[in-house]
Amino acid sequence: MIEGVRVGLYDDPIFREHDSGPGHPERPERLDAVRRGLREAGIDGRLEARKPRPATGAELLRVHREAYLELVESTRGRTFRFDPDTQAGPRSYEAAVLAAGAVVDAVDRVLDGSLDRAFCAVRPPGHHAESGRAMGFCLFNNVAVGAAHALARGLERVLVIDFDVHHGNGTQEIFYSDPRVLYVSSHAFPFYPGTGAAGELGERDGLGFTINLPLPEGCGDAEYGRLYAEVVAPVGRAFDPELVLVSAGFDPHAADPLAGMQVTERGFAAIARACLSTTAGSARGRCVFALEGGYDLDAVAASSSAVVREMLGEEGWPLAGEASPRAADLVGRYRQAFGRFWPVLRD
Ligand code: ZN
């Protein structure tokens, strides 16, 4: 392990007061599962507990429209349904502002050097939230707010990697024409929310700075391990980001009730290793993970601790290296598809 790597853990009781509605899979116990996983892995004591601060209106307005901000704020103290999946309860606004603020504060601390890395155990999640719309359990786009904050501080290259099983339509929309933010997502396809085809590449100056890796159902450690090692990591390193943000969704897990992937803790460790490897250049190790989905509590516990172990620099948890014709096919297909923007993939 790397001695002295400082990893912050952001959490707050208010995140548990966000009420998605009765019987909803996006529930407060998910955060307790993260904490339990860290405890059971014996690594909670090696993390710096950080209290988030609320994001300011100006910070949220970098990625969200004013009318939308006002709509979310108007849900304070009541229950409001944005769509059939996405609801705010009386304290959800407060939780959402704090969730975005956690990522902003984590970005500030890793850029200032008081932390090397941070894991934000937040609710509500963020990556489906668009500039003007709540959806998919998400109110504010926490990672996008963090990326915009880094840009406002003068950074020119921010990499966002999204391994949630759903496509981060909100993050893609917000930075679709912005070459300063490279968005790389792996996700089930076709699947909710319907976006994320490989042909969605960004537009105008942002062309080539959106990379979607749509995956068929049933992909597991072999497919994810190879795609992250042979597509995501080389593209990420070629971009040479100054900061890496990760939308960490644990719903590709084999036990997840919402999706049909087959990833295990070992696979999430390999994914995290690939994400962290993209910080080797200008980012100088700076990386912030924020919780997105993941709905089986034991899977969330085991997978989040596997990721945090990698963040702490513990010795890698190797993949079994099983041969997978499908993994080889996906890697070949995507290296070819994105090679015209990223020559590193043509080798
Ligand atoms: Zn998800």
Side-chain angles (χ1 to χ4, degrees):
M1 67 176 246
I2 306 166
E3 287 302 329
V5 57
R6 292 157 306 173
V7 180
L9 174 67
Y10 285 80
D11 188 6
D12 193 281
I14 293 175
F15 295 146
R16 289 157 183 77
E17 295 187 40
H18 162 54
D19 181 5
S20 307
H24 201 289
E26 204 291 278
R27 58 208 193 276
E29 291 81 0
R30 300 176 59 241
L31 298 186
D32 300 328
V34 171
R35 300 303 296 264
R36 171 167 63 85
L38 297 173
R39 217 167 38 243
E40 287 171 356
I43 52 178
D44 52 338
R46 291 169 47 199
L47 305 173
E48 284 185 32
R50 305 290 335 170
K51 275 281 194 196
R53 65 156 174 91
T56 65
E59 288 162 351
L60 295 168
L61 278 170
R62 290 178 184 138
V63 309
H64 291 293
R65 293 186 203 135
E66 193 159 8
Y68 175 64
L69 236 59
E70 286 166 5
L71 172 65
V72 182
E73 189 170 5
S74 77
T75 69
R76 288 176 97 151
R78 64 191 179 112
T79 295
F80 180 82
R81 186 167 277 205
F82 291 94
D83 70 24
D85 300 326
T86 315
Q87 175 177 303
R91 299 207 70 185
S92 295
Y93 171 76
E94 215 175 332
V97 168
L98 212 60
V103 181
V104 171
D105 194 73
V107 166
D108 274 334
R109 285 183 184 276
V110 299
L111 292 182
D112 294 341
S114 59
L115 286 176
D116 298 304
R117 297 165 181 167
F119 188 94
C120 301
V122 295
R123 297 179 61 245
H127 73 153
H128 294 304
E130 298 183 343
S131 54
R133 177 160 72 144
M135 63 181 273
F137 319 163
C138 302
L139 301 184
F140 296 135
N141 195 315
N142 308 318
V143 163
V145 173
H149 183 67
L151 298 178
R153 285 190 49 156
L155 268 62
E156 291 170 350
R157 293 181 312 282
V158 177
L159 170 61
V160 176
I161 302 174
D162 186 335
F163 63 76
D164 189 280
V165 78
H166 303 96
H167 179 240
N169 58 290
T171 314
Q172 170 168 302
E173 180 245 351
I174 288 163
F175 299 114
Y176 207 51
S177 58
D178 192 339
R180 297 173 302 171
V181 177
L182 171 59
Y183 177 63
V184 183
S185 174
S186 59
H187 45 269
F189 189 89
F191 199 50
Y192 183 88
T195 50
E200 296 167 25
L201 292 160
E203 63 186 9
R204 298 192 294 276
D205 291 348
L207 185 65
F209 292 92
T210 291
I211 295 188
N212 285 307
L213 307 170
L215 303 174
E217 209 172 72
C219 286
D221 294 352
E223 289 81 11
Y224 273 83
R226 282 200 60 183
L227 266 177
Y228 272 77
E230 297 175 44
V231 178
V232 178
V235 169
R237 284 194 294 266
F239 181 59
D240 189 28
E242 298 160 285
L243 174 70
V244 178
L245 302 179
V246 181
S247 273
F250 298 106
D251 41 13
H253 195 283
D256 195 87
L258 263 54
M261 293 302 188
Q262 297 294 329
V263 179
T264 71
E265 297 81 88
R266 206 172 272 273
F268 285 110
I271 291 169
R273 258 192 321 277
C275 294
L276 291 165
S277 80
T278 67
T279 68
S282 298
R284 303 198 304 272
R286 299 183 296 214
C287 193
V288 175
F289 284 64
L291 181 65
E292 301 282 1
Y295 304 99
D296 178 84
L297 298 181
D298 289 336
V300 168
S303 307
S304 55
S305 68
V307 164
V308 173
R309 275 175 50 169
E310 296 292 330
M311 296 174 75
L312 284 163
E314 285 204 347
E315 217 157 281
W317 195 358
L319 282 179
E322 57 189 288
S324 161
R326 183 158 68 172
D329 172 64
L330 287 166
V331 165
R333 194 190 318 164
Y334 290 137
R335 285 179 71 97
Q336 188 176 22
F338 301 111
R340 72 177 164 121
F341 300 107
W342 299 94
V344 68
L345 297 179
R346 285 189 223 138
D347 304 338

